[in-house]
Each structure stands twice: as structure tokens, then as C-alpha cells.
Amino acid sequence: MATIELQQVEKKFGEVYAVKPMDLTIRDGEFLVLLGPSGCGKTTTLRMISGLEAVTAGRILLNGRDVTWAHPSDRDIAFVFQFFALYPHLSARQNIAFPLQAQGESRQTIDRRIKEVSQLLRIEHLLHLRPGALSGGDQQRVALARALVRRPAAFLMDEPLGALDAEFRESMRAEIKRLHLDQHATSVYVTHDQIEAMAMGDRIVVMSSAVVQQVGTPAEVYHNPRSLFVARFIGSPGMNLIPGDYADGMVNLPGGNCYPVPPIWQRSLHNQMARAGRIILGFRPEAAQISSDGPLHAEVYAADLHGSYNMLHLSLDGKDILHARASRQEHFPIGTKLRFDLHPEWVRFFNADTELAYDCEVAS
Amino acid sequence: MAAQSPAAPRLPVNFSTRVDEVSSRARLARFIRVVVVIAVAIIMLIPVTWMTLTAFKSRPDAVAVPPKIFFQPTLEGFVSLLTDRRQLTTEQIAEEQKRTDLTWIDQLALSRGQVITGPSDYPQRLLNSIIVAGVSTVFSVGLGLLSAYSFSRFSIAGAGDLLFFILSTRMLPPVVVTIPLFLMYRALGIYDTHFGLILLYTVFNLSFSVWLLKGFIDEIPREYEEAALVDGYTRLQAFRKIVLPQSLTGIAATTVFCLIFAWNEYAFALMLSADRARTAPPSIPSVLGTGGIESAAIAAGSLGFLIPVVIVTFALRKYLLRGVTFGAIRQ
């Protein structure tokens, strides 16, 4: 239905950057998630796309049309607010009809569209109620219905699940995802919850401190984080990041550990590291493989059973804690000394100064 | 809020709570509350009641010491209020009493030795009050609403200073400026005009209405308007369809306050109006009959003066009592 293009879009509040100049193309029918901690500029970006916030500089194109300075009502974009923003003095039906009335639709069309959309969202029995009488989830359904009913070019959603109870969030998440698959409408979704982002996004834009850190599919940002920030922010727990020293194909780690750089990494690290020096080794908890002849040794600090697996908290030198996944059957009492290896394709290396990831020609 | 999906069956209610047994302490507290409310209501209502009683008293009854609670009601006060009369000599009274075409009103006047010469200007004064108070209230609430909305929603250079300036117009005791205003009004040719009083009351009430309404509009989350904007409405439409209905409570409260001020204003009305535009407050005490204070007439005039405000307040009570927004935005 629509592509959205951001060209060098930036937003300043006074002298402070809310969003530093960013380029982004949102493809037709894509579900794009803007992810980042609060205050990173993700909501501001969304509001600039909607036109509720004016850009400081840059251009926004909607289907190739420059809408940078177009009024929100001229953009044909629907916005779902975190706190739903249902008009409290109107019934659910009137709320849903509201955008259609703006377009001057006939009464029959409005009735038909409300019927369709309320069937889709299973809110037919609630249409006569005012928002105050609805539960959080139903309010969100009505808000979604109000967005869907006018068949906009794109949907913008600002943490639409943030105000819901935890148990409810998951089912609404699936519901929104299903809606997207049915409607196949271009959607931009803002969240600070990385699990939500991973579950819903076709692509994720990770932002922090007004800067886009990485744009990629959930698998890309999970497996190949471009920076330490992304590595830490994505995944729960985040990627293990251990500072070490690189020299001659070996990384010296705390606690007298010495990790030989896997063969696939050797040439690229050699090329990118000017000389021996500081480096940060990163790996996901599931990349650790416990084996008696592994090159790394550590002490078990704690172990939690996560149902299907054990999450081990390991300590290399008594200070920093690493997370490693172990199977449910294996049992490691606290204080156990163990050895482990890292899956060579899942190891990542980061520049300790720039905090950016080193490329691996083979792995990436 | 209950996290219950509509598909889930609701649990049957298989418990009950007895509501007929209330603890004695709660009952005592309730009793004390009721007593206090009744006492306060009585204290509040005594002057009004007394005024109402006085309006129906004859002249001697009205000034009787000790005050009379039970008396023969008469419409003398209302007749004196609504008519102009002339005192008659004894012979004239005797002559008048022979006439047979006298109405009960004429007879009532005659019983006090007076003859009616024409209607009084009280109805005109009351009408002036309605015009001046009504129009100035509409303007001060209307303009106040627009300014309050602007102060609440847009970033205005020096908004704080402007708001303080608006408030500062209330810091001067009004009497201080009556003489300068009188001179200015005469020079401008708006002395003793409806326009002059409306202008003055509007300006006077504006500071109050801007501040009061700003508080109410600040309470309305911006998301509502933003939702309306992306839903395809202009800002003005969003204001009319979303902000206006939700600020009805504030508008009603402000209206009542502005109306009461403009309705009751005495000092400026006394100084800045004489005849054409004179409102009721300065004219009621001037119904001072010939030879003595007409307490009953004054009470009757005050009673008539009270009624329009009571009607407006009563008509708006629904909005005054209702909450601003009931929980459509979770905080």
C-alpha cells in the first residue's frame, strides 16, 4: 500500500537532538519495528512520520510524494497511541466512525465498514459502550479498529501494548501480527521491548541516544549486532561481552583464560586489527558448549532452571558474570569448576574503542 | 482494569455480601455528617428565607421588633417594586375610595394612601442586567476558552509573563479605577451604555476565565486531538469535536462564576450607568419609597434578582457535577 522514505530526517528540541539525521526506507507491506530504550528518539521518529511533530530538517516521502510539511490529516496514515486515546465522550461505535466521518463517507458505508472491522477484532458486542466501560484490551481493540476502519496507507503504532497487563500483551501481540498478515499494510511499530520487536518485526531499527544503531531482520540484529549497544540490548540476557587482549591469533581473557581465535575469524581479525591490542569477545549464551576439553574455564556462580534449559551464571575471574545455556538434564552445583568452548560460528568480536563489531567475511 | 478477554466466560457469582448490617460506628459517622450538612444548609438558607418572607410582609410587619415569623402575607412589596406611586392627601383618598373601577393593585396602593402613576423601571433594570451579564459572560467565556486553549497547547513566546499579566489585571482593587474609568467612558461616549458595561465586565472576567479554563484544558490529554488530527480533521475541527465536549465541565463552572460576578457587580454599575444601561444591583436599594425604607420592596426586588442566576446554575448543574473524563486514558 505504501512505502515511507526518510531522507536525512532530524529533530532538535532547542539545541538537543531528539533524532540525529537518519535515512530509512520502509518497504511496502513491511512490519518495521523501532526499538530502543526510552528517550532514544523512536517515538519522535514515529510522530514525525505522522506529521504530529515537525521535522527540523530532512524530507519524508510517502509513496514518493513529499509529505514533509503536509498536515497529519493529509497523509492518510493511522496512528495507534500508547494510551489508546479513545474519545471518552463517544461510544466505541462513534469512536470507530470518527475517521470515516472526516472523509465524508455515507452512513451505509460507515455502518458496513464498522461491521467488518468489529467482526475482525471481535468487538461487535462492545460497540455501544463508552471507552471508560471497556477493559484495557478491549480499548486497544477499539483503537485498532479506529485505525483499521479507514484503510490507511500505513499504520503507526506507539507502544500499543505498553499499557496492557503482561498476560494480555502476548495475545494482543499475536492478534496485531495476524492483522498485519491479513491486511498486509505497511506498519511502523514503536516499542522498548526487544522480545516484542523480535517477535513482530520484519525488520528492526535499533535506536539509542537519537542515533540509529542498526537496521536489520530480527535474526540479523540478534546474531550480527553492529555495535556493543545492540549486542547488549537484544536478547535476554544480552550477549556476553568480555574484554580481552588480542595477540597472534589468541585472545587473553580475565581469569587466566586464553581463547584461540577460530579459523574462520583469523584472517579478518588479522586484517582489521592493526596490531595486538584490546578487543571485546562476544557470544550468545547458547554459543557456549560445556565440554571437558574446552579452552575456557570458569566457576558456576548460579544456575537457574528456565524450564527447557538451565541458565548458568559463570564467573571467569570472580568478577564478571557470563551467561551460558546448558541442557536441562545437566546439573551444576554452585562453585563447580567447568570448562567450555564457544561455537566458532557464533563468536563475535568488537573494537574496544569504537564499540563496533569487526566483520567476518565468512560468518556474515 | 480487568484483563478479561471477551471470549472468556465470566465467573458465576456464588458469593454474597450482606449490606443491611452496617457497623454502629459507620452509622454514627453518617449521622454526624447528615447533621452537619443540615446545619450548614440552614445557616446558608436563613438569609434567603428571611428575604423571601420579608418580600411578602406589609410595611409595619417588615420592621416589627421582635421580627415576625407568622404574619398576614401581602403583595404590597411587589406592588411598590413594580410601580411608581404618588402620595395622596386625605380628601383625595376619600375621593378615590368612591371609585368602582379600581383593580386590586390600585386598592392595595390606596390602602397606603397612594395612587399608582405608572410602572416602575425595575423590569427594565432587570432586563439590562440580563443583557449585560449574559453578553459579557458569553464573551469572557468564549474568548477565555480560545486563549486558554492556545496557552495550553501551543508554545507561545513569553507565555508565563503573559499569563501573569492577564492575572495582574485582578490585583488592583476595582474601586481604585472607577473614577478614571468614569472619565474615560464619558470621553469615549460609552458612559451609560450596555456596550460600556459589557466591555468592562468581559475584560474583568477574562483573566479569571483564562486561568480557570486553562486548568481544565491542561487536563485533557493532547493525544485526543492528535488522534483526531491523524483521523483526518483540522485543528479547529478537532477543537470543536474533541476539546469542546470534554471541557464542558470547565465551561459550565466558568460560566457560572463569570455570570455571578457580572450579575452582582455593584460599584462599576453605579458609577458607569445612570438610566439607559443601569442594571438591577444599584437600582434595587434606590427603591426607597416616599418617607421611609421600603424593606418589603427591596426584598421583593432582590428575590426577582436572584431567580435568573438560580435558573442558570440549576440548568448547568449536570455539567458542574460530572467528572471531566472518566478513565479512557490510563494514567
Side-chain angles (χ1 to χ4, degrees):
Chain A
M1 285 194 286
T3 56
I4 304 169
E5 218 173 314
L6 276 61
Q7 297 175 347
Q8 288 297 300
V9 167
E10 64 170 82
K11 178 73 189 179
K12 270 178 164 179
F13 289 111
E15 280 308 299
V16 186
Y17 272 107
V19 176
K20 288 192 178 154
M22 68 183 282
D23 287 304
L24 183 65
T25 303
I26 302 153
R27 299 173 196 138
D28 185 27
E30 182 176 35
F31 198 103
L32 185 92
V33 177
L34 293 173
L35 172 68
S38 56
C40 72
K42 55 191 192 301
T43 297
T44 308
T45 306
L46 194 74
R47 289 172 59 87
M48 286 193 291
I49 298 173
S50 72
L52 292 173
E53 204 81 65
V55 302
T56 308
R59 299 208 309 154
I60 297 172
L61 304 181
L62 189 69
N63 273 335
R65 181 170 73 101
D66 190 334
V67 294
T68 314
W69 298 106
H71 192 266
S73 59
D74 296 333
R75 299 193 184 198
D76 194 20
I77 277 176
F79 201 107
V80 181
F81 292 83
Q82 178 172 10
F83 296 110
F84 322 140
L86 295 173
Y87 313 121
H89 59 293
L90 302 178
S91 69
R93 170 186 291 281
Q94 289 167 320
N95 262 283
I96 300 170
F98 199 70
L100 293 177
Q101 286 161 352
Q103 298 175 337
E105 297 285 358
S106 70
R107 177 170 284 281
Q108 292 95 315
T109 314
I110 292 177
D111 285 346
R112 185 168 46 78
R113 298 268 278 276
I114 290 179
K115 198 158 180 268
E116 284 168 14
V117 79
S118 53
Q119 272 171 356
L120 187 68
L121 285 156
R122 305 193 308 278
I123 50 171
E124 296 136 291
H125 57 300
L126 305 171
L127 287 176
H128 61 285
L129 295 173
R130 287 202 179 182
L134 300 175
S135 71
D138 289 335
Q139 288 189 34
Q140 188 57 281
R141 285 202 182 86
V142 174
L144 284 170
R146 188 175 66 183
L148 279 168
V149 76
R150 45 181 271 236
R151 301 172 183 161
F155 289 97
L156 308 179
M157 291 175 253
D158 185 10
E159 306 217 17
L161 307 182
L164 297 182
D165 302 317
E167 58 169 313
F168 216 51
R169 210 172 296 165
E170 209 151 320
S171 61
M172 279 308 287
R173 196 162 79 198
E175 223 165 288
I176 292 178
K177 186 76 189 169
R178 279 298 300 266
L179 274 177
H180 172 71
L181 294 176
D182 289 349
Q183 310 276 317
H184 215 67
T186 310
S187 305
V188 187
Y189 185 103
V190 161
T191 181
H192 63 264
D193 181 348
Q194 49 98 14
I195 296 174
E196 215 168 275
M198 299 284 286
M200 301 181 81
D202 293 328
R203 283 195 303 157
I204 298 177
V205 177
V206 185
M207 294 183 75
S208 88
S209 345
V211 176
V212 173
Q213 298 284 338
Q214 187 169 3
V215 182
T217 63
E220 275 166 9
V221 295
Y222 185 78
H223 289 295
N224 295 316
R226 213 173 62 83
S227 67
L228 287 185
F229 175 83
V230 180
R232 274 194 214 104
F233 195 73
I234 305 283
S236 79
M239 189 177 259
N240 294 303
L241 298 163
I242 319 166
D245 288 299
Y246 171 80
D248 300 330
M250 300 291 275
V251 180
N252 293 308
L253 298 169
N257 275 296
C258 194
Y259 179 69
V261 174
I264 52 165
W265 273 96
Q266 271 168 2
R267 194 164 58 92
S268 63
L269 266 195
H270 184 77
N271 291 342
Q272 292 173 81
M273 290 283 292
R275 52 193 157 72
R278 294 197 298 135
I279 197 166
I280 289 167
L281 172 77
F283 63 92
R284 294 279 175 199
E286 59 270 29
Q289 299 163 323
I290 288 145
S291 64
S292 51
D293 55 352
L296 300 169
H297 58 86
E299 191 180 311
V300 175
Y301 177 81
D304 330 319
L305 179 62
H306 281 221
S308 56
Y309 59 90
N310 262 313
M311 185 61 81
L312 300 180
H313 301 246
L314 303 175
S315 160
L316 290 180
D317 60 349
K319 279 197 304 218
D320 300 318
I321 299 294
L322 304 177
H323 298 100
R325 237 188 228 211
S327 77
R328 189 171 46 153
Q329 286 78 17
E330 291 175 281
H331 185 63
F332 298 95
I334 289 170
T336 312
K337 299 238 183 339
L338 53 77
R339 300 193 74 87
F340 64 99
D341 197 356
L342 303 176
H343 194 295
E345 284 183 19
W346 294 349
V347 177
R348 298 291 176 262
F349 294 96
F350 296 88
N351 185 319
D353 297 317
T354 63
E355 303 205 335
L356 293 177
Y358 285 119
D359 296 323
C360 174
E361 288 89 348
V362 186
S364 61
Chain B
M1 218 162 283
Q4 200 173 26
S5 95
R10 293 189 187 275
L11 286 173
V13 178
N14 53 11
F15 54 87
S16 72
T17 309
R18 293 193 62 174
V19 291
D20 53 341
E21 278 179 23
V22 182
S23 80
S24 58
R25 265 183 65 187
R27 255 191 298 186
L28 183 68
R30 204 182 118 108
F31 176 74
I32 292 172
R33 274 203 298 274
V34 169
V35 167
V36 169
V37 166
I38 290 174
V40 170
I42 288 173
I43 292 169
M44 296 291 188
L45 285 171
I46 281 177
V48 182
T49 313
W50 196 251
M51 188 180 80
T52 312
L53 292 179
T54 307
F56 291 97
K57 280 179 182 175
S58 66
R59 205 162 167 182
D61 283 347
V63 293
V65 180
K68 282 190 178 175
I69 293 178
F70 301 101
F71 56 90
Q72 179 71 40
T74 159
L75 289 174
E76 248 179 54
F78 289 91
V79 170
S80 333
L81 178 72
L82 295 169
T83 59
D84 278 339
R85 297 157 318 278
R86 183 163 51 84
Q87 198 69 37
L88 300 175
T89 60
T90 324
E91 301 88 72
Q92 286 170 320
I93 294 172
E95 205 170 304
E96 282 288 315
Q97 274 166 343
K98 287 179 196 139
R99 289 174 59 175
T100 52
D101 58 341
L102 292 178
T103 63
W104 65 271
I105 300 173
D106 291 319
Q107 280 167 351
L108 206 59
L110 193 60
S111 69
R112 296 172 55 192
Q114 294 173 332
V115 67
I116 289 164
T117 56
S120 77
D121 45 16
Y122 178 80
Q124 182 58 43
R125 303 280 188 256
L126 208 58
L127 185 67
N128 283 345
S129 263
I130 290 171
I131 292 170
V132 169
V135 176
S136 76
T137 300
V138 167
F139 275 116
S140 41
V141 174
L143 293 174
L145 188 66
L146 294 178
S147 349
Y149 179 75
S150 308
F151 275 119
S152 174
R153 292 298 194 255
F154 305 118
S155 58
I156 298 167
D161 294 334
L162 279 172
L163 279 169
F164 181 80
F165 168 73
I166 291 172
L167 188 67
S168 70
T169 58
R170 295 291 278 225
M171 292 180 182
L172 201 66
V175 273
V176 175
V177 293
T178 41
I179 302 297
L181 272 174
F182 172 72
L183 297 173
M184 281 191 270
Y185 266 48
R186 266 221 323 215
L188 289 170
I190 52 174
Y191 170 77
D192 195 22
T193 58
H194 290 125
F195 174 77
L197 285 180
I198 289 169
L199 182 71
L200 186 75
Y201 292 169
T202 303
V203 171
F204 232 77
N205 272 332
L206 204 50
S207 60
F208 179 73
S209 87
V210 169
W211 273 82
L212 200 66
L213 286 168
K214 183 175 176 294
F216 279 101
I217 293 178
D218 283 344
E219 294 283 305
I220 304 171
R222 277 162 185 255
E223 279 95 337
Y224 292 144
E225 286 152 84
E226 294 183 338
L229 290 183
V230 290
D231 277 351
Y233 290 89
T234 64
R235 186 167 274 281
L236 205 63
Q237 286 173 321
F239 175 79
R240 196 163 54 81
K241 287 178 185 279
I242 303 302
V243 179
L244 211 55
Q246 288 187 61
S247 47
L248 279 181
T249 311
I251 292 173
T254 313
T255 302
V256 168
F257 281 119
C258 287
L259 184 73
I260 288 175
F261 169 82
W263 187 254
N264 288 348
E265 208 287 323
Y266 175 80
F268 283 122
L270 186 68
M271 291 296 291
L272 300 179
S273 68
D275 180 50
R276 274 182 303 144
R278 172 141 289 191
T279 55
S283 62
I284 292 172
S286 68
V287 192
L288 294 182
T290 43
I293 297 167
E294 289 258 25
S295 297
I298 293 172
S302 305
L303 197 63
F305 181 67
L306 211 61
I307 289 166
V309 185
V310 171
I311 290 173
V312 171
T313 312
F314 199 72
L316 293 178
R317 76 194 187 289
K318 181 177 119 194
Y319 300 105
L320 292 173
L321 293 175
R322 202 164 69 175
V324 185
T325 54
F326 16 94
I329 285 222
R330 282 173 49 147
Q331 302 290 358

